[in-house]
Amino acid sequence: MSSTTSADVSEGPDRILRPRPRKPVHTQLSHISNLSEPNGALDPNTNGHATATTSGRSTPVPPDAPQSVKALSSARKQVRAEQRRRLFPTIEFASRVSHFDPNSDYRDFHGFFNLFWIGLAIMAVTTMLRNVKDTGYPMRVQIWSLFTVKLWHLAIADFLMVASTAVALPLQKLFRDAPAGSSLTWAKGGTAIMSIYQVLWLALWIAVPFLLGWTWTAQVFLILHTMVMLMKMHSYAFYNGHLSETEKRLRDLDDPSTASRAPAYLYPTPENPMGTVATSPRSANGSAQQHQLLEKDHHHESSEESDELAQLREVLARELTSPIGNITYPSNLTWWNYLDFLCCPTLCYEIEYPRTEKIDWQNLLSKIAATFGCIFLLTIISEEFILPALTDASLRLNDTVAPPSPSEILLILSETISWLLFPFMLTFLLVFLVIFEYVLGAFAEITHFADRHFYSDWWNSTDWMEFSREWNVPVYSFLRRHVYSASRPYIGKGNATVITFLISAVGHEIVMGCITKKLRGYGFVCQMMQLPLVVLQRTRWVRGRETFNNVCFWCSMILGLSLICSLYVLV
């Protein structure tokens, strides 16, 4: 035959055509056959003729075969005889759950991910066909034209902005070389100098787009990149400043009579996420290797030196060494190390990161293509669905001939919010993909950065605290290390949580203010309202209702995005 049917065949070693392996009709039959014969061949019936359920040939059981083999052969014959007596094929029923059931172990929904992209492609094609019909052009140019306005200004300003963060490196060398007790050490004047520079630096680069009259698209790019570089510069400066003080303490212990023996503070790590005070290496890491190193140090120490002093030395020395163990402070204070950190897709500085062996070029090119594809789709959604709704609402609200009444204003706002719900949901998902899956993934591939955990399953979040941990892992790690853990020893856990949310809300409000050129505080208020919502969702009446809480999360997320946008643009 020139073609095969659904039951494709394959030619075995003995030149016999057999069906390709398929999921068995009856699991009991499959189990018995697999136990006895690797090739799955069935025995013929008792009269020696092939049946419809056999391949036509099988190996007979010899008379002197073991009893176990004869038992298996007899069981197969009984099962086949039972199958021949049935008029309809056997359908196996068992106690099972559906794939979407919460108790299901099935986790592969890649097909829905493909369907998501197919749906967006259909939307883009139909939109372009409608534009050709209405205007003669496949794309509108309201937003596309903004991308090329003062493009060289943006490129030069962005380069200078990134280059100006490099001041952190020479300052760190200055703070390290300053003698103990000097006002230029990190513990005394270094922290203040770096903090003042960061405040002035941020104010300058926020003001640049306003002074140069940039479009909102260029302003969005620069302000977001500025926020990223601010967090990188802060993490680099404050972590290396901490290491410079640690190195000074370790050197001071060479003269134990004048050195401080206060416990060492350890920055947060995966094993020590809250950055607690450690008094011995065994408390920070109870491995046998550390204990052996400690015993070795005791052997070389003088008899007068106490165990406490040796343990403190060990903790300080390990704090100055990278988690991987190849680099030790201050050998990381180089230009190449700083440039590498700027390119790595992380906001928390470490002396050394885990790396991949080589670049997966196919993966890199696919992520670059997907990045431009997401930007293309975001532009279409903005031009076709978001901008027209906002423009129409703005014209109706600012009508000078027949000004709307308060009830009409409320109706216009409600209608606009409803029109923006679905476009903003797609925008939110595309922004997530373009940033955390494609852009960060591409930079991770370029820099051989091995840790690709940029997000968790935030779509299953049941409250806003869980969402803040899983939606943006790099920012969450930064806030946990440099805000929450840094302030918790002084103001307590509750106040540190409030301060962390407060700083995050201020950052979001700055971004929204730069985009819309309005300071209204809507985003700040909405983000701070997450705290009482978290408290409410953790009460005994609501806690544990995962489906209900997840539905509430998604409803508040979708409604909040369109609500905030409508308020900033129209009010």
Side-chain angles (χ1 to χ4, degrees):
M1 296 177 63
S2 60
S3 61
T4 61
T5 63
S6 59
D8 295 335
V9 295
S10 60
E11 188 173 359
D14 51 358
R15 302 292 181 180
I16 294 177
L17 296 179
R18 292 188 175 88
R20 289 184 178 176
R22 290 289 188 267
K23 190 173 292 186
V25 177
H26 197 285
T27 55
Q28 182 183 4
L29 178 63
S30 173
H31 176 69
I32 295 172
S33 301
N34 291 336
L35 283 176
S36 60
E37 297 172 2
N39 61 359
L42 300 178
D43 284 346
N45 56 8
T46 55
N47 57 15
H49 298 288
T51 65
T53 59
T54 67
S55 61
R57 291 176 57 182
S58 60
T59 304
V61 178
D64 57 346
Q67 294 299 323
S68 59
V69 176
K70 292 181 179 180
L72 290 173
S73 176
S74 176
R76 289 198 301 274
K77 292 177 182 179
Q78 292 176 8
V79 172
R80 290 198 300 272
E82 181 183 351
Q83 293 291 330
R84 289 195 297 271
R85 287 195 297 267
R86 298 183 65 90
L87 295 178
F88 296 95
T90 300
I91 298 177
E92 182 181 0
F93 291 96
S95 178
R96 290 173 287 196
V97 297
S98 66
H99 280 1
F100 287 120
D101 192 282
N103 297 319
S104 173
D105 293 330
Y106 192 81
R107 295 292 184 269
D108 186 6
F109 294 101
H110 186 71
F112 280 101
F113 181 75
N114 296 333
L115 178 62
F116 171 77
W117 283 108
I118 292 173
L120 291 180
I122 293 173
M123 180 204 69
V125 171
T126 54
T127 300
M128 288 189 291
L129 291 176
R130 187 176 65 249
N131 287 336
V132 170
K133 175 185 175 182
D134 296 340
T135 65
Y137 298 96
M139 302 292 298
R140 300 179 187 269
V141 294
Q142 290 174 286
I143 295 180
W144 289 105
S145 60
L146 300 179
F147 290 150
T148 57
V149 176
K150 298 182 179 180
L151 187 60
W152 284 108
H153 289 192
L154 174 61
I156 294 173
D158 189 66
F159 173 79
L160 294 176
M161 182 270 295
V162 174
S164 59
T165 64
V167 174
L169 176 57
L171 285 179
Q172 286 303 314
K173 292 184 176 181
L174 176 64
F175 301 148
R176 176 182 176 269
D177 295 336
S182 170
S183 59
L184 289 180
T185 60
W186 176 256
K188 293 190 175 181
T191 306
I193 293 173
M194 200 66 216
S195 300
I196 293 173
Y197 178 77
Q198 289 177 6
V199 171
L200 297 177
W201 180 89
L202 179 62
L204 170 65
W205 294 111
I206 288 178
V208 165
F210 291 95
L211 297 176
L212 299 180
W214 287 1
T215 60
W216 67 269
T217 53
Q219 199 160 7
V220 167
F221 176 83
L222 186 67
I223 188 61
L224 292 179
H225 201 191
T226 298
M227 288 295 183
V228 170
M229 289 298 108
L230 174 66
M231 288 185 280
K232 280 181 172 285
M233 178 171 56
H234 180 90
S235 182
Y236 181 87
F238 276 73
Y239 187 62
N240 279 297
H242 160 73
L243 295 181
S244 68
E245 293 299 317
T246 302
E247 184 192 29
K248 284 183 172 62
R249 287 201 59 191
L250 181 61
R251 290 180 177 179
D252 291 343
L253 288 177
D254 292 338
D255 186 6
S257 60
T258 58
S260 171
R261 301 193 181 188
Y265 176 79
L266 300 180
Y267 253 54
T269 63
E271 296 79 15
N272 179 32
M274 292 296 104
T276 55
V277 173
T279 57
S280 70
R282 283 189 291 265
S283 63
N285 186 348
S287 65
Q289 181 181 5
Q290 263 192 333
H291 182 68
Q292 294 173 0
L293 291 174
L294 183 60
E295 293 298 332
K296 184 178 179 180
D297 286 344
H298 287 171
H299 178 72
H300 292 288
E301 293 290 346
S302 61
S303 57
E304 295 84 7
E305 192 171 32
S306 66
D307 290 346
E308 179 184 358
L309 187 61
Q311 292 173 356
L312 182 57
R313 279 201 183 99
E314 181 69 18
V315 170
L316 295 175
R318 288 190 173 274
E319 185 70 4
L320 295 172
T321 305
S322 70
I324 301 177
N326 296 326
I327 304 177
T328 301
Y329 181 88
S331 59
N332 63 304
L333 296 180
T334 62
W335 288 110
W336 173 252
N337 180 272
Y338 183 75
L339 179 62
D340 176 72
F341 171 60
L342 291 185
C343 296
C344 284
T346 180
L347 300 176
C348 291
Y349 178 77
E350 285 288 348
I351 299 177
E352 191 178 9
Y353 298 104
R355 306 285 181 163
T356 58
E357 294 182 1
K358 59 181 181 179
I359 296 177
D360 186 346
W361 291 103
Q362 181 178 357
N363 186 31
L364 175 60
L365 294 177
S366 65
K367 290 185 182 300
I368 294 174
T371 299
F372 287 101
C374 285
I375 295 174
F376 173 76
L377 291 173
L378 284 170
T379 306
I380 289 181
I381 293 173
S382 300
E383 284 192 337
E384 300 293 334
F385 303 102
I386 296 179
L387 192 59
L390 293 174
T391 302
D392 178 69
S394 180
L395 292 175
R396 293 163 63 187
L397 289 174
N398 298 321
D399 190 355
T400 57
V401 178
S405 62
S407 59
E408 291 175 337
I409 293 176
L410 183 60
L411 180 62
I412 293 172
L413 286 175
S414 301
E415 183 182 16
T416 305
I417 292 171
S418 65
W419 277 106
L420 294 177
L421 289 176
F422 191 73
F424 264 105
M425 182 185 70
L426 290 178
T427 301
F428 171 72
L429 295 176
L430 286 173
V431 168
F432 159 72
L433 283 173
V434 74
I435 294 177
F436 299 106
E437 181 64 23
Y438 301 132
V439 173
L440 295 184
F443 274 96
E445 204 66 59
I446 293 172
T447 58
H448 298 265
F449 194 79
D451 189 355
R452 313 290 171 91
H453 181 60
F454 305 126
Y455 58 90
S456 297
D457 56 338
W458 57 266
W459 43 87
N460 294 325
S461 299
T462 55
D463 60 53
W464 287 101
M465 193 70 72
E466 184 180 356
F467 171 76
S468 66
R469 293 194 302 266
E470 298 178 346
W471 142 261
N472 190 339
V473 172
V475 170
Y476 167 74
S477 300
F478 174 86
L479 293 175
R480 186 191 67 185
R481 168 189 269 195
H482 295 286
V483 179
Y484 178 80
S485 298
S487 58
R488 184 170 176 259
Y490 304 101
I491 60 178
K493 181 178 179 180
N495 292 331
T497 302
V498 174
I499 291 296
T500 303
F501 266 82
L502 182 66
I503 292 178
S504 177
V506 169
H508 283 81
E509 183 62 28
I510 291 175
V511 173
M512 292 302 300
C514 292
I515 295 174
T516 61
K517 296 181 173 61
K518 297 178 182 178
L519 285 177
R520 296 290 188 268
Y522 303 130
F524 177 85
V525 173
C526 288
Q527 185 154 355
M528 294 305 296
M529 285 179 61
Q530 295 176 7
L531 288 176
L533 287 176
V534 170
V535 175
L536 177 63
Q537 288 181 309
R538 293 186 175 181
T539 58
R540 61 187 181 91
W541 299 282
V542 185
R543 184 177 64 248
R545 304 174 184 266
E546 294 185 0
T547 301
F548 173 78
N549 286 330
N550 183 248
V551 170
C552 291
F553 158 76
W554 273 113
C555 291
S556 59
M557 170 65 74
I558 298 171
L559 179 62
L561 291 173
S562 58
L563 173 63
I564 291 175
C565 178
S566 300
L567 291 176
Y568 271 105
V569 175
L570 302 177
V571 180

